[in-house]
Amino acid sequence: MLSLRVRSLLLLVACVLATSCAKYDSLVEANATCDQKWADLDAQLQRRYDLIPNLVATVKAYAKHEADVLEQVTAARANATQIKLTADDLSDPAKMAAFQKAQDALKGSLSRLLVTQEQYPDLKANQQFHDLTVELEGTENRLLRAREEYNAAVKDYNAELAKVGGKVLNKITGTPFKPRIYFSASADAQQAPKVNFQ
C-alpha cells in the first residue's frame, strides 16, 4: 500500500497534469479562434480586391482624364494582393506592418478614386458606379468588423498566453504558442482625410 506522502505526491502530479492539459486545450482553442478570425478578415480583403477591377473599369468609361488615380488604385491593389500572411506570420511584427502598409495604401487610393465621383456628376449618376461604391462601402464596413473581431480574438489569446498557466505551459512544452500581433491603424489613419473639390 502506498504511503500518505506518495499518494499526496501522485495526487499533486495528477492535478498539475490536468491543469496543464486544460490550459493547453484553452490555448489551442484561442489560437484556432485567431486563425478563424484572420480567415474571415482575409475573405473580406479578397472581396475588396475582387470589387476593385469592376470599379476601375466603370470609372475608366466615364473619367478617362483620371487615369493617374486609376493607375494608383490598380497598383495598390496589385501590391496588396501580393502580400499573403501565414499563421506564423501573425506573430511577426515586421510582416504584419508590411501587410498593414499595403492595405493602407490601397484604402487611400480607393478614397481618392471615390472623391472623383463628386467632381464628375455623370459618373456619380451612373447606376453601375453607384452600385459598386455601395458594395465597396459595405466591404469596408465588413473589413472594420473583421479587424475588430480578429483583434478581440488576439486579445483573448495573448491574455491566456500571458497568464501564469500559459507561461508555465510554454516553458514545459518549449514555447509552441507565440503572441499574435494586433491589426492596427497606420499613423496616417489618425488624421481625417482631406477632400478638395476644386
Side-chain angles (χ1 to χ4, degrees), residues 92-124:
D92 184 338
K95 289 182 180 176
M96 282 293 287
F99 181 81
Q100 289 178 177
K101 184 177 178 184
Q103 296 306 315
D104 291 341
L106 177 56
K107 187 173 184 175
S109 64
L110 282 173
S111 296
R112 287 187 293 280
L113 177 62
L114 294 177
V115 167
T116 301
Q117 74 171 322
E118 298 298 332
Q119 296 171 335
Y120 304 102
D122 290 343
L123 178 60
K124 188 176 180 182

Side-chain angles (χ1 to χ4, degrees), residues 14-36:
C15 287
V16 167
L17 283 174
T19 303
S20 295
C21 288
K23 178 54 89 173
Y24 185 86
D25 288 347
S26 71
L27 282 170
V28 167
E29 181 71 28
N31 192 40
T33 300
C34 286
D35 288 341
Q36 183 249 320

Side-chain angles (χ1 to χ4, degrees), residues 1 12 15 19-20 41 74 91 134 136 138 140 158 162 185 194:
M1 206 156 151
L12 179 64
C15 287
T19 303
S20 295
L41 175 57
T74 304
S91 298
V134 167
L136 197 55
E140 292 299 319
N158 286 350
K194 294 177 182 164

